[in-house]
Amino acid sequence: MYQGKQVSVVFPAYNEEQYIRQAIEDFWIPGVVDEVIVVNNNSRDRTAEEAAKTPARVVLETKQGYGHALQRGMREARGDLIILAEPDGTFIGRDALKLLAYAEDFQMVCGTRTTRELIWAEANMGWFLRVGNWSVAKLLQVLYSGPSLSDCGCTLRLIHRQALEEIQDFFTVGKSHFLPEMVILALRAGISVIEVPINYRGRVGESKITGNFKGVLRTGLRMIGLILSYKFKRLPARPNTHSAKA
Ligand SMILES: Nc1nc2c(ncn2[C@@H]2O[C@H](COP(=O)(O)OP(=O)(O)O)[C@@H](O)[C@H]2O)c(=O)[nH]1
Ligand SMILES: [Mg+2]
């Protein structure tokens, strides 16, 4: 619980057997985090078995993709405050407390991994990735009149349940470029967003998105395409669940 609010942590996991248990332990901050959800996205290794040795709730998402895994985790989460993270050693559990502190004033709190002082020596955040993440984030910021944004791809973030419920029916991206869609939908819905600097460390195990130049380029271009295309997209009407009767 954090100030009377239940806190959920969601881990999308595709072949993360090496660090999943440590990640669960690290993020399960006593007295603060109420549940940890591991979304096993068709892992071919022992991710699910390792996670099952802990009190975390493990769900299987068969639709392959980072975005699908995160969306499933958010739908499974029961908390009032939902924190997204990765179980690969890149994020530090105690940084969740930074997100929670800002969640008192903002409905969505995104981490940024581009603060030089917080990038660890072994982290996969060389100058190209750093400038690339920053530039795409700035494009989003300018086109959608956002707050100051400096990272378009940081999984570590928090959203209030109420804000999530306003946008989750509009998610369309199941692949690696999901995160900017979440921010665009939030900004378009008038949800308050802030970015805070977090630590970024080296990864345990193999990176599946930004581990090579091709992956970086593919995800970057998809993100840019998404950010530009949303400018011309009308938000579809809200599903008709609470429509007022005449
Ligand atoms: N790439 C990828 N990652 C997935 C998938 N499903 C879940 N994930 C998780 O999404 C996170 C991001 O992937 P990762 O390999 O760390 O990419 P990186 O952060 O760019 O190095 C990790 O926690 C993965 O385990 C999937 O289908 N593809
Ligand atoms: Mg990662």
PDB file of all heavy atoms in Angstrom, residues 12-16 39 41 64-66 69 85-88 90 113 124 155 176 200 203 206-211, ligand 1:
ATOM      1  N   PRO A  12       6.526  -7.812 -18.011  1.00  0.00           N
ATOM      2  CA  PRO A  12       6.393  -8.605 -19.239  1.00  0.00           C
ATOM      3  C   PRO A  12       7.626  -9.488 -19.331  1.00  0.00           C
ATOM      4  O   PRO A  12       8.739  -9.024 -19.063  1.00  0.00           O
ATOM      5  CB  PRO A  12       6.419  -7.530 -20.343  1.00  0.00           C
ATOM      6  CG  PRO A  12       7.252  -6.432 -19.777  1.00  0.00           C
ATOM      7  CD  PRO A  12       7.063  -6.466 -18.271  1.00  0.00           C
ATOM      8  N   ALA A  13       7.457 -10.749 -19.665  1.00  0.00           N
ATOM      9  CA  ALA A  13       8.617 -11.641 -19.605  1.00  0.00           C
ATOM     10  C   ALA A  13       8.666 -12.607 -20.773  1.00  0.00           C
ATOM     11  O   ALA A  13       7.773 -13.436 -20.949  1.00  0.00           O
ATOM     12  CB  ALA A  13       8.608 -12.414 -18.287  1.00  0.00           C
ATOM     13  N   TYR A  14       9.706 -12.477 -21.555  1.00  0.00           N
ATOM     14  CA  TYR A  14       9.953 -13.414 -22.646  1.00  0.00           C
ATOM     15  C   TYR A  14      11.369 -13.945 -22.478  1.00  0.00           C
ATOM     16  O   TYR A  14      12.334 -13.219 -22.683  1.00  0.00           O
ATOM     17  CB  TYR A  14       9.772 -12.701 -23.991  1.00  0.00           C
ATOM     18  CG  TYR A  14      10.080 -13.584 -25.171  1.00  0.00           C
ATOM     19  CD1 TYR A  14       9.377 -14.779 -25.362  1.00  0.00           C
ATOM     20  CD2 TYR A  14      11.050 -13.239 -26.084  1.00  0.00           C
ATOM     21  CE1 TYR A  14       9.656 -15.600 -26.433  1.00  0.00           C
ATOM     22  CE2 TYR A  14      11.338 -14.047 -27.164  1.00  0.00           C
ATOM     23  CZ  TYR A  14      10.636 -15.230 -27.331  1.00  0.00           C
ATOM     24  OH  TYR A  14      10.928 -16.034 -28.395  1.00  0.00           O
ATOM     25  N   ASN A  15      11.476 -15.157 -22.042  1.00  0.00           N
ATOM     26  CA  ASN A  15      12.783 -15.800 -21.807  1.00  0.00           C
ATOM     27  C   ASN A  15      13.654 -15.005 -20.834  1.00  0.00           C
ATOM     28  O   ASN A  15      14.733 -14.534 -21.178  1.00  0.00           O
ATOM     29  CB  ASN A  15      13.534 -16.004 -23.135  1.00  0.00           C
ATOM     30  CG  ASN A  15      12.821 -16.976 -24.051  1.00  0.00           C
ATOM     31  OD1 ASN A  15      11.899 -17.675 -23.627  1.00  0.00           O
ATOM     32  ND2 ASN A  15      13.221 -17.015 -25.302  1.00  0.00           N
ATOM     33  N   GLU A  16      13.153 -14.853 -19.623  1.00  0.00           N
ATOM     34  CA  GLU A  16      13.872 -14.086 -18.601  1.00  0.00           C
ATOM     35  C   GLU A  16      14.202 -14.957 -17.398  1.00  0.00           C
ATOM     36  O   GLU A  16      14.198 -14.495 -16.261  1.00  0.00           O
ATOM     37  CB  GLU A  16      13.046 -12.867 -18.158  1.00  0.00           C
ATOM     38  CG  GLU A  16      12.651 -11.911 -19.252  1.00  0.00           C
ATOM     39  CD  GLU A  16      13.816 -11.064 -19.774  1.00  0.00           C
ATOM     40  OE1 GLU A  16      14.959 -11.260 -19.333  1.00  0.00           O
ATOM     41  OE2 GLU A  16      13.570 -10.216 -20.638  1.00  0.00           O
ATOM     42  N   VAL A  39       3.894 -11.620 -16.670  1.00  0.00           N
ATOM     43  CA  VAL A  39       3.196 -12.036 -17.888  1.00  0.00           C
ATOM     44  C   VAL A  39       4.178 -12.850 -18.719  1.00  0.00           C
ATOM     45  O   VAL A  39       5.081 -12.312 -19.359  1.00  0.00           O
ATOM     46  CB  VAL A  39       2.683 -10.823 -18.699  1.00  0.00           C
ATOM     47  CG1 VAL A  39       1.881 -11.314 -19.897  1.00  0.00           C
ATOM     48  CG2 VAL A  39       1.863  -9.895 -17.827  1.00  0.00           C
ATOM     49  N   ASN A  41       5.222 -14.494 -21.766  1.00  0.00           N
ATOM     50  CA  ASN A  41       4.821 -14.323 -23.159  1.00  0.00           C
ATOM     51  C   ASN A  41       5.423 -15.458 -24.013  1.00  0.00           C
ATOM     52  O   ASN A  41       6.316 -15.234 -24.819  1.00  0.00           O
ATOM     53  CB  ASN A  41       5.322 -12.946 -23.630  1.00  0.00           C
ATOM     54  CG  ASN A  41       4.576 -12.376 -24.819  1.00  0.00           C
ATOM     55  OD1 ASN A  41       5.055 -11.453 -25.457  1.00  0.00           O
ATOM     56  ND2 ASN A  41       3.420 -12.895 -25.124  1.00  0.00           N
ATOM     57  N   GLN A  64       2.063 -12.980 -28.998  1.00  0.00           N
ATOM     58  CA  GLN A  64       3.469 -12.625 -28.825  1.00  0.00           C
ATOM     59  C   GLN A  64       3.716 -11.145 -29.047  1.00  0.00           C
ATOM     60  O   GLN A  64       3.258 -10.579 -30.029  1.00  0.00           O
ATOM     61  CB  GLN A  64       4.330 -13.428 -29.812  1.00  0.00           C
ATOM     62  CG  GLN A  64       5.817 -13.331 -29.533  1.00  0.00           C
ATOM     63  CD  GLN A  64       6.202 -14.071 -28.252  1.00  0.00           C
ATOM     64  OE1 GLN A  64       5.902 -15.251 -28.115  1.00  0.00           O
ATOM     65  NE2 GLN A  64       6.831 -13.384 -27.325  1.00  0.00           N
ATOM     66  N   GLY A  65       4.444 -10.534 -28.124  1.00  0.00           N
ATOM     67  CA  GLY A  65       4.819  -9.133 -28.317  1.00  0.00           C
ATOM     68  C   GLY A  65       4.850  -8.377 -27.004  1.00  0.00           C
ATOM     69  O   GLY A  65       4.032  -8.606 -26.111  1.00  0.00           O
ATOM     70  N   TYR A  66       5.806  -7.472 -26.958  1.00  0.00           N
ATOM     71  CA  TYR A  66       6.003  -6.630 -25.766  1.00  0.00           C
ATOM     72  C   TYR A  66       4.719  -5.879 -25.387  1.00  0.00           C
ATOM     73  O   TYR A  66       4.306  -5.853 -24.229  1.00  0.00           O
ATOM     74  CB  TYR A  66       7.153  -5.684 -26.101  1.00  0.00           C
ATOM     75  CG  TYR A  66       7.405  -4.552 -25.176  1.00  0.00           C
ATOM     76  CD1 TYR A  66       8.070  -4.747 -23.977  1.00  0.00           C
ATOM     77  CD2 TYR A  66       7.014  -3.253 -25.527  1.00  0.00           C
ATOM     78  CE1 TYR A  66       8.328  -3.678 -23.137  1.00  0.00           C
ATOM     79  CE2 TYR A  66       7.283  -2.183 -24.704  1.00  0.00           C
ATOM     80  CZ  TYR A  66       7.931  -2.401 -23.507  1.00  0.00           C
ATOM     81  OH  TYR A  66       8.190  -1.336 -22.684  1.00  0.00           O
ATOM     82  N   ALA A  69       2.040  -8.185 -24.061  1.00  0.00           N
ATOM     83  CA  ALA A  69       2.362  -8.639 -22.708  1.00  0.00           C
ATOM     84  C   ALA A  69       2.050  -7.548 -21.679  1.00  0.00           C
ATOM     85  O   ALA A  69       1.442  -7.815 -20.631  1.00  0.00           O
ATOM     86  CB  ALA A  69       3.837  -9.042 -22.634  1.00  0.00           C
ATOM     87  N   ALA A  85       7.453  -2.600 -15.314  1.00  0.00           N
ATOM     88  CA  ALA A  85       8.911  -2.706 -15.206  1.00  0.00           C
ATOM     89  C   ALA A  85       9.378  -3.862 -16.089  1.00  0.00           C
ATOM     90  O   ALA A  85       8.570  -4.469 -16.794  1.00  0.00           O
ATOM     91  CB  ALA A  85       9.324  -2.918 -13.757  1.00  0.00           C
ATOM     92  N   GLU A  86      10.675  -4.156 -16.072  1.00  0.00           N
ATOM     93  CA  GLU A  86      11.205  -5.299 -16.831  1.00  0.00           C
ATOM     94  C   GLU A  86      12.010  -6.183 -15.886  1.00  0.00           C
ATOM     95  O   GLU A  86      12.756  -5.660 -15.057  1.00  0.00           O
ATOM     96  CB  GLU A  86      12.110  -4.829 -17.974  1.00  0.00           C
ATOM     97  CG  GLU A  86      11.349  -4.163 -19.093  1.00  0.00           C
ATOM     98  CD  GLU A  86      12.250  -3.750 -20.255  1.00  0.00           C
ATOM     99  OE1 GLU A  86      13.331  -4.351 -20.439  1.00  0.00           O
ATOM    100  OE2 GLU A  86      11.868  -2.812 -20.971  1.00  0.00           O
ATOM    101  N   PRO A  87      11.893  -7.496 -16.046  1.00  0.00           N
ATOM    102  CA  PRO A  87      12.618  -8.399 -15.133  1.00  0.00           C
ATOM    103  C   PRO A  87      13.980  -8.800 -15.677  1.00  0.00           C
ATOM    104  O   PRO A  87      14.335  -9.981 -15.697  1.00  0.00           O
ATOM    105  CB  PRO A  87      11.678  -9.603 -15.077  1.00  0.00           C
ATOM    106  CG  PRO A  87      11.095  -9.659 -16.453  1.00  0.00           C
ATOM    107  CD  PRO A  87      11.018  -8.252 -16.963  1.00  0.00           C
ATOM    108  N   ASP A  88      14.752  -7.810 -16.146  1.00  0.00           N
ATOM    109  CA  ASP A  88      16.030  -8.139 -16.785  1.00  0.00           C
ATOM    110  C   ASP A  88      17.231  -7.472 -16.119  1.00  0.00           C
ATOM    111  O   ASP A  88      18.338  -7.461 -16.664  1.00  0.00           O
ATOM    112  CB  ASP A  88      15.986  -7.781 -18.273  1.00  0.00           C
ATOM    113  CG  ASP A  88      15.771  -6.293 -18.511  1.00  0.00           C
ATOM    114  OD1 ASP A  88      15.663  -5.536 -17.527  1.00  0.00           O
ATOM    115  OD2 ASP A  88      15.717  -5.882 -19.683  1.00  0.00           O
ATOM    116  N   THR A  90      17.747  -4.312 -15.614  1.00  0.00           N
ATOM    117  CA  THR A  90      18.057  -2.945 -16.054  1.00  0.00           C
ATOM    118  C   THR A  90      17.489  -1.898 -15.088  1.00  0.00           C
ATOM    119  O   THR A  90      18.055  -0.816 -14.951  1.00  0.00           O
ATOM    120  CB  THR A  90      17.520  -2.670 -17.473  1.00  0.00           C
ATOM    121  OG1 THR A  90      16.157  -3.081 -17.552  1.00  0.00           O
ATOM    122  CG2 THR A  90      18.336  -3.409 -18.512  1.00  0.00           C
ATOM    123  N   ARG A 113      15.468   7.127 -18.975  1.00  0.00           N
ATOM    124  CA  ARG A 113      16.775   6.460 -18.848  1.00  0.00           C
ATOM    125  C   ARG A 113      17.882   7.264 -19.507  1.00  0.00           C
ATOM    126  O   ARG A 113      18.963   6.745 -19.733  1.00  0.00           O
ATOM    127  CB  ARG A 113      16.712   5.081 -19.526  1.00  0.00           C
ATOM    128  CG  ARG A 113      15.579   4.197 -19.065  1.00  0.00           C
ATOM    129  CD  ARG A 113      15.313   3.106 -20.094  1.00  0.00           C
ATOM    130  NE  ARG A 113      14.924   3.698 -21.368  1.00  0.00           N
ATOM    131  CZ  ARG A 113      14.837   3.040 -22.524  1.00  0.00           C
ATOM    132  NH1 ARG A 113      15.097   1.758 -22.565  1.00  0.00           N
ATOM    133  NH2 ARG A 113      14.476   3.661 -23.626  1.00  0.00           N
ATOM    134  N   ASN A 124      22.988  -0.609 -21.778  1.00  0.00           N
ATOM    135  CA  ASN A 124      22.863  -0.483 -23.233  1.00  0.00           C
ATOM    136  C   ASN A 124      22.204   0.865 -23.547  1.00  0.00           C
ATOM    137  O   ASN A 124      21.019   0.943 -23.869  1.00  0.00           O
ATOM    138  CB  ASN A 124      22.019  -1.658 -23.766  1.00  0.00           C
ATOM    139  CG  ASN A 124      21.802  -1.559 -25.267  1.00  0.00           C
ATOM    140  OD1 ASN A 124      22.597  -0.946 -25.991  1.00  0.00           O
ATOM    141  ND2 ASN A 124      20.713  -2.143 -25.744  1.00  0.00           N
ATOM    142  N   THR A 155      10.230   1.387 -20.089  1.00  0.00           N
ATOM    143  CA  THR A 155       9.122   0.583 -19.552  1.00  0.00           C
ATOM    144  C   THR A 155       8.761   1.016 -18.136  1.00  0.00           C
ATOM    145  O   THR A 155       7.578   1.024 -17.780  1.00  0.00           O
ATOM    146  CB  THR A 155       9.498  -0.912 -19.534  1.00  0.00           C
ATOM    147  OG1 THR A 155       9.937  -1.296 -20.830  1.00  0.00           O
ATOM    148  CG2 THR A 155       8.317  -1.783 -19.123  1.00  0.00           C
ATOM    149  N   SER A 176       6.859  -3.845 -30.156  1.00  0.00           N
ATOM    150  CA  SER A 176       7.838  -3.157 -29.304  1.00  0.00           C
ATOM    151  C   SER A 176       7.647  -1.642 -29.231  1.00  0.00           C
ATOM    152  O   SER A 176       8.269  -0.990 -28.406  1.00  0.00           O
ATOM    153  CB  SER A 176       9.246  -3.469 -29.795  1.00  0.00           C
ATOM    154  OG  SER A 176       9.368  -3.083 -31.142  1.00  0.00           O
ATOM    155  N   TYR A 200      19.549   3.278 -14.964  1.00  0.00           N
ATOM    156  CA  TYR A 200      19.502   2.301 -16.051  1.00  0.00           C
ATOM    157  C   TYR A 200      20.790   1.487 -16.042  1.00  0.00           C
ATOM    158  O   TYR A 200      21.874   2.026 -16.193  1.00  0.00           O
ATOM    159  CB  TYR A 200      19.303   3.002 -17.395  1.00  0.00           C
ATOM    160  CG  TYR A 200      18.851   2.046 -18.477  1.00  0.00           C
ATOM    161  CD1 TYR A 200      17.745   1.220 -18.276  1.00  0.00           C
ATOM    162  CD2 TYR A 200      19.522   1.955 -19.682  1.00  0.00           C
ATOM    163  CE1 TYR A 200      17.319   0.336 -19.254  1.00  0.00           C
ATOM    164  CE2 TYR A 200      19.099   1.072 -20.672  1.00  0.00           C
ATOM    165  CZ  TYR A 200      17.995   0.267 -20.444  1.00  0.00           C
ATOM    166  OH  TYR A 200      17.575  -0.602 -21.422  1.00  0.00           O
ATOM    167  N   ARG A 203      21.959  -5.271 -18.690  1.00  0.00           N
ATOM    168  CA  ARG A 203      20.942  -6.310 -18.705  1.00  0.00           C
ATOM    169  C   ARG A 203      21.517  -7.672 -18.329  1.00  0.00           C
ATOM    170  O   ARG A 203      22.663  -7.984 -18.669  1.00  0.00           O
ATOM    171  CB  ARG A 203      20.400  -6.402 -20.132  1.00  0.00           C
ATOM    172  CG  ARG A 203      19.100  -7.138 -20.255  1.00  0.00           C
ATOM    173  CD  ARG A 203      18.840  -7.422 -21.723  1.00  0.00           C
ATOM    174  NE  ARG A 203      17.436  -7.662 -21.999  1.00  0.00           N
ATOM    175  CZ  ARG A 203      16.767  -8.721 -21.558  1.00  0.00           C
ATOM    176  NH1 ARG A 203      17.368  -9.619 -20.829  1.00  0.00           N
ATOM    177  NH2 ARG A 203      15.486  -8.860 -21.861  1.00  0.00           N
ATOM    178  N   GLU A 206      19.775 -12.016 -22.751  1.00  0.00           N
ATOM    179  CA  GLU A 206      19.829 -11.419 -24.093  1.00  0.00           C
ATOM    180  C   GLU A 206      18.712 -10.403 -24.332  1.00  0.00           C
ATOM    181  O   GLU A 206      17.554 -10.654 -23.996  1.00  0.00           O
ATOM    182  CB  GLU A 206      19.692 -12.579 -25.097  1.00  0.00           C
ATOM    183  CG  GLU A 206      19.901 -12.184 -26.534  1.00  0.00           C
ATOM    184  CD  GLU A 206      19.290 -13.230 -27.467  1.00  0.00           C
ATOM    185  OE1 GLU A 206      19.150 -14.401 -27.038  1.00  0.00           O
ATOM    186  OE2 GLU A 206      18.951 -12.866 -28.594  1.00  0.00           O
ATOM    187  N   SER A 207      19.079  -9.254 -24.909  1.00  0.00           N
ATOM    188  CA  SER A 207      18.079  -8.243 -25.243  1.00  0.00           C
ATOM    189  C   SER A 207      17.363  -8.638 -26.528  1.00  0.00           C
ATOM    190  O   SER A 207      17.990  -9.071 -27.480  1.00  0.00           O
ATOM    191  CB  SER A 207      18.747  -6.883 -25.427  1.00  0.00           C
ATOM    192  OG  SER A 207      17.869  -6.008 -26.104  1.00  0.00           O
ATOM    193  N   LYS A 208      16.034  -8.467 -26.537  1.00  0.00           N
ATOM    194  CA  LYS A 208      15.279  -8.880 -27.727  1.00  0.00           C
ATOM    195  C   LYS A 208      14.796  -7.698 -28.551  1.00  0.00           C
ATOM    196  O   LYS A 208      14.298  -7.869 -29.647  1.00  0.00           O
ATOM    197  CB  LYS A 208      14.074  -9.732 -27.323  1.00  0.00           C
ATOM    198  CG  LYS A 208      14.415 -11.047 -26.688  1.00  0.00           C
ATOM    199  CD  LYS A 208      14.001 -11.044 -25.232  1.00  0.00           C
ATOM    200  CE  LYS A 208      14.732 -12.091 -24.440  1.00  0.00           C
ATOM    201  NZ  LYS A 208      14.515 -11.861 -22.996  1.00  0.00           N
ATOM    202  N   ILE A 209      14.895  -6.491 -28.018  1.00  0.00           N
ATOM    203  CA  ILE A 209      14.426  -5.331 -28.791  1.00  0.00           C
ATOM    204  C   ILE A 209      15.597  -4.467 -29.243  1.00  0.00           C
ATOM    205  O   ILE A 209      15.839  -4.301 -30.434  1.00  0.00           O
ATOM    206  CB  ILE A 209      13.408  -4.487 -27.990  1.00  0.00           C
ATOM    207  CG1 ILE A 209      12.181  -5.339 -27.621  1.00  0.00           C
ATOM    208  CG2 ILE A 209      12.967  -3.274 -28.817  1.00  0.00           C
ATOM    209  CD1 ILE A 209      11.151  -4.623 -26.769  1.00  0.00           C
ATOM    210  N   THR A 210      16.340  -3.906 -28.294  1.00  0.00           N
ATOM    211  CA  THR A 210      17.386  -2.952 -28.673  1.00  0.00           C
ATOM    212  C   THR A 210      18.788  -3.550 -28.533  1.00  0.00           C
ATOM    213  O   THR A 210      19.758  -2.825 -28.367  1.00  0.00           O
ATOM    214  CB  THR A 210      17.280  -1.674 -27.806  1.00  0.00           C
ATOM    215  OG1 THR A 210      17.420  -2.041 -26.434  1.00  0.00           O
ATOM    216  CG2 THR A 210      15.959  -0.958 -28.008  1.00  0.00           C
ATOM    217  N   GLY A 211      18.880  -4.869 -28.656  1.00  0.00           N
ATOM    218  CA  GLY A 211      20.172  -5.542 -28.499  1.00  0.00           C
ATOM    219  C   GLY A 211      21.078  -5.400 -29.706  1.00  0.00           C
ATOM    220  O   GLY A 211      22.279  -5.595 -29.610  1.00  0.00           O
TER     221      GLY A 211
HETATM  222  N1  LIG B   1      11.123  -8.294 -27.405  1.00  0.00           N
HETATM  223  C1  LIG B   1      10.147  -8.851 -26.746  1.00  0.00           C
HETATM  224  N2  LIG B   1      10.098  -8.653 -25.423  1.00  0.00           N
HETATM  225  C2  LIG B   1       9.106  -9.208 -24.776  1.00  0.00           C
HETATM  226  C3  LIG B   1       8.141  -9.979 -25.452  1.00  0.00           C
HETATM  227  N3  LIG B   1       7.272 -10.377 -24.559  1.00  0.00           N
HETATM  228  C4  LIG B   1       7.679  -9.904 -23.392  1.00  0.00           C
HETATM  229  N4  LIG B   1       8.827  -9.194 -23.494  1.00  0.00           N
HETATM  230  C5  LIG B   1       9.568  -8.503 -22.403  1.00  0.00           C
HETATM  231  O1  LIG B   1       9.656  -7.114 -22.690  1.00  0.00           O
HETATM  232  C6  LIG B   1      10.818  -6.543 -22.093  1.00  0.00           C
HETATM  233  C7  LIG B   1      11.620  -5.767 -23.110  1.00  0.00           C
HETATM  234  O2  LIG B   1      12.483  -6.583 -23.888  1.00  0.00           O
HETATM  235  P1  LIG B   1      14.060  -6.482 -23.815  1.00  0.00           P
HETATM  236  O3  LIG B   1      14.607  -7.699 -24.466  1.00  0.00           O
HETATM  237  O4  LIG B   1      14.514  -6.207 -22.419  1.00  0.00           O
HETATM  238  O5  LIG B   1      14.376  -5.230 -24.723  1.00  0.00           O
HETATM  239  P2  LIG B   1      15.382  -4.036 -24.399  1.00  0.00           P
HETATM  240  O6  LIG B   1      14.915  -3.465 -23.078  1.00  0.00           O
HETATM  241  O7  LIG B   1      15.244  -3.109 -25.530  1.00  0.00           O
HETATM  242  O8  LIG B   1      16.729  -4.639 -24.289  1.00  0.00           O
HETATM  243  C8  LIG B   1      11.547  -7.700 -21.429  1.00  0.00           C
HETATM  244  O9  LIG B   1      11.144  -7.746 -20.079  1.00  0.00           O
HETATM  245  C9  LIG B   1      11.021  -8.917 -22.203  1.00  0.00           C
HETATM  246  O10 LIG B   1      11.122 -10.102 -21.453  1.00  0.00           O
HETATM  247  C10 LIG B   1       8.231 -10.184 -26.853  1.00  0.00           C
HETATM  248  O11 LIG B   1       7.435 -10.835 -27.510  1.00  0.00           O
HETATM  249  N5  LIG B   1       9.248  -9.594 -27.451  1.00  0.00           N
END
